[in-house]
């Protein structure tokens, strides 16, 4: 009867595997095409405008629903 450990390939040490993973990660990061600073600024501005627009819309909807609830129930909101 043969032992199972004879046919099994032993995995490398945990630290060896982590070292390989870091090496692969840094190798991949060297190939990344990073955006230019003006593109980053433009994308950031777009994100800020969209966030502000959604905030305004959500606030208006909240205010409108609060007023509607006040009309239906006759209870004034906290002022």
């Amino acid at each position: 009867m043969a032992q199972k450990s004879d046919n099994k390939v032993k995995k490398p040490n945990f630290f060896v595997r982590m070292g390989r993973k870091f090496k692969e990660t840094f190798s991949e990061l060297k190939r990344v095409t990073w955006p230019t600073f003006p593109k980053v600024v433009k994308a950031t501005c777009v994100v800020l405008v969209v966030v502000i627009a959604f905030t305004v819309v959500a606030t208006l909807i909240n205010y409108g629903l609060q007023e509607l609830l006040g009309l239906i129930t006759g209870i004034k909101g906290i002022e």
Side-chain angles (χ1 to χ4, degrees):
M1 187 175 219
Q3 292 180 347
K4 290 184 178 183
S5 62
D6 292 343
N7 297 333
K8 194 173 183 180
V9 177
K10 190 173 181 181
K11 287 199 294 189
N13 184 343
F14 171 77
F15 295 106
V16 172
R17 288 183 289 159
M18 288 304 294
R20 287 181 188 164
K21 183 57 84 176
F22 279 124
K23 186 175 180 182
E24 291 173 9
T25 301
F26 286 117
S27 171
E28 191 69 29
L29 283 174
K30 288 179 184 176
R31 290 186 246 149
V32 171
T33 304
W34 296 100
T36 61
F37 185 72
K39 285 184 180 181
V40 171
V41 170
K42 184 177 178 182
T44 302
C45 289
V46 168
V47 169
L48 290 175
V49 166
V50 169
V51 166
I52 291 169
F54 275 111
T55 302
V56 169
V57 168
T59 302
L60 290 175
I61 290 172
N62 184 33
Y63 178 75
L65 290 175
Q66 182 179 358
E67 290 297 317
L68 181 63
L69 183 63
L71 286 174
I72 293 171
T73 62
I75 301 171
K76 289 279 186 178
I78 299 173
E79 293 181 14

